[in-house]
Amino acid sequence: MDRRDFIGSLPVLGTAASLTAAIPAAVGKRPRILLRESLQYENIGDSGRVPGTLRLLSLHLAEPEVTLWPWSLHETERKLLLATFPRLRIVEGAIDGKGNASTAELAKAWKDADFFVCPGKGREHYEAWARTDRPFGLFGTAFDPVSNRAQRPDGGTVNQLKQDIERLPAGDFAKRWGDPALYAKASFIFCRDTISLGYLRAQKIGPAKLEFGPEGAFAIAVRDDRRAEAWLKRHALESDRYLCVIPRLRYTPYYRIKNLPRSPGDHEIDALNARWADQDHQAMREMIVRWVRETGGKVAACPEMTYQIETARLHLVEPLPDDVKRQVVWRDEFWLPNEAASIFARAAAVVSADCHSPIIALANGTPALHVRNPTDTVKAQMFRDIGAGDWLFEVGETTGEILWEKLGWIHQNLPQARAKVKAIMAGVSERQRQMVGAIGSAVATRSS
């Protein structure tokens, strides 16, 4: 993949591409980047982060040669990525503790790359890579040591989790993620939220460049306008006149998503979800009622993950009054992030109980409210960090009236709300330009 490929793809990428396209690429050698990333077809948030990161590398590095090494890759995702970035190389396989690859393609990519970048922990990869004496970095990553079911079965607010993290003793990081000296070898660690950043600083972890850095999903710019327009027309959804609403259960039922046998732990998860599902979606339903009755607009009940198709029907659509329900379209099929982006881009607003649909909306210029579920880790802090904190709500502390007050303002002041989104994204884009610049600097330093 190189810069020419990216520029050539701009006509199909849409609005978000204009936010950073004018920023010049860094000057230097043509870097060879090995990107270790996680795609998950069943989750448009995970699928959307990868094309966003690829776009950033194309924008801000001089003619990069990028190889994607995915943890998983659905064939539809492969087609989407290669259609958008025709020169992208994709390799698959595993690397053992000594740096030996299980496939010839991965072995070559591992040997040739100038820089290894990954948004996740991947300790075993970093250990093997560090022995090659080549630079690596953690890009838009998260370190969340407290958000798990054993510690907080009913979750907590972002502030509560932050306080839990701040009380952790010195040495906590080493127990969870291994020798801190390994992470000190990185060229940088960019944390996608400032809570993760504060944790690393308190634990005295990381290299000299340890900073906040928004994840790649904020740079997503893939679109499928043709498919989106056909779906909108079929359901009589007019641009700027409809709302997209996305539900979420407290814990993702992965056994259903992956078609796996139901384990004892899955029974516990199902019980917790059943206990909270109706209550967690009440405020969003009340907001939908206000939207329909006071604006005359329509609503699209949409998924971010495959299981949420049914969740949307059961907990957003079916309980609504009949006069409101007639104005609500239940999306009964899943989508890729490019179609979701095109539909979000035409909406008046997106309101989501899951985290990445609002990010995709913001990247496409659309105002977005995130109604955070208490078991959804600390990643909602990202919205505060980029300047969208007044569009973040804790589900246990909000009501339909509170959501409607914010949504009603967006409806009445849509140009101002979109201007706010543009300003937020301009800040994100500049920060991400600096993040990619750190890769270019590391490659240039090694080459000099």
Side-chain angles (χ1 to χ4, degrees), residues 96-99 124 126-134 182 185:
D96 66 18
K98 297 181 179 180
E124 66 280 8
Y126 301 134
E127 289 173 343
W129 183 268
R131 286 196 291 273
T132 71
D133 199 32
R134 286 174 288 171
L182 172 63
K185 295 177 181 179

Side-chain angles (χ1 to χ4, degrees), residues 171-250:
D172 179 81
F173 181 96
K175 294 177 181 178
R176 299 174 191 271
W177 290 295
D179 187 359
L182 172 63
Y183 295 87
K185 295 177 181 179
S187 298
F188 57 76
I189 297 178
F190 291 116
C191 295
R192 71 178 180 180
D193 65 88
T194 56
I195 294 178
S196 292
L197 178 62
Y199 171 66
L200 293 190
R201 286 177 173 169
Q203 294 285 313
K204 303 186 185 308
I205 303 299
K209 188 174 285 296
L210 174 59
E211 300 174 3
F212 166 65
E215 66 167 64
F218 283 100
I220 186 172
V222 290
R223 296 273 285 270
D224 190 340
D225 291 339
R226 181 191 60 81
R227 185 183 293 272
E229 288 168 0
W231 189 82
L232 293 172
K233 182 178 181 180
R234 189 159 64 248
H235 295 286
L237 294 170
E238 302 176 21
S239 294
D240 302 341
R241 294 274 298 155
Y242 66 90
L243 183 69
C244 291
V245 184
I246 296 91
R248 185 187 190 278
L249 296 177
R250 294 247 167 155

